[in-house]
Amino acid sequence: MKKIIIIFICILLILFISIWIMVGIDKKYISVLEKEILENTNVEDITYINKYDNNYIVKDNEYVYLFDSSYEEIYKVKISLLHDNKNDYDIIYKDNTIMYMEDYKDKEGIIFKYYDIYTYQVIEEIVVGDN
C-alpha cells in the first residue's frame, strides 16, 4: 500500500514540475517577443502580443499594430474602432486581414473560427480532422 501511495505522489510531483516548466518557457517566450518589439519599434506599452505567420500583432492602450518580420509597421488601427473581444480570442493576420481566431476541439475535430475584428461576425470556419 505504501508503494502505491509513493508512486501516486511521485506522478503528481512529476506532473506539477512539468506544468511549471511549460509555463516558465511560455512566459520567457512572450518576454522575448515583447523585448524585440520594444527595441525595434516605437511601441512603448504592450498589453498584448502575438506572433503569427512571421508577423507580429501588438496591442497597446490605444492601437493594434501589425509588424512584419523586419519590424516595419504594416497596419495600425485604433482600439476604439474594434469590436470588444469579450471572449479573449487571439488576434491574427491571415489573408491580408487582421481578425480574431477561436480554436477548440470538438467531436468533429479541431475547429478554427475566424471573426471579423470590427463586427465580431464569423468570417470562416475550418474543421481539421473531420471524420
Side-chain angles (χ1 to χ4, degrees), residues 84-112:
D84 185 29
N85 189 4
K86 54 190 164 214
N87 294 317
D88 201 28
Y89 297 146
D90 282 329
I91 304 172
I92 65 163
Y93 181 68
K94 178 183 174 208
D95 298 333
N96 296 322
T97 307
I98 294 179
M99 59 184 82
Y100 295 122
M101 180 186 75
E102 172 189 22
D103 58 335
Y104 59 93
K105 187 170 173 33
D106 195 351
K107 63 183 178 188
E108 299 172 12
I110 299 174
I111 312 291
F112 293 93

Side-chain angles (χ1 to χ4, degrees), residues 13 19-20 28 35 65 72 83 110 112 114 125 128:
L13 187 61
I19 292 170
W20 182 62
K28 184 177 179 184
K35 184 178 177 185
Y65 304 89
E72 294 192 28
H83 196 282
I110 299 174
F112 293 93
Y114 302 98
E125 182 175 329
V128 179

Side-chain angles (χ1 to χ4, degrees), residues 114-130:
Y114 302 98
Y115 297 87
D116 184 90
I117 201 161
Y118 301 104
T119 64
Y120 228 55
Q121 299 289 323
V122 175
I123 298 171
E124 181 179 19
E125 182 175 329
I126 299 174
V127 178
V128 179
D130 189 20

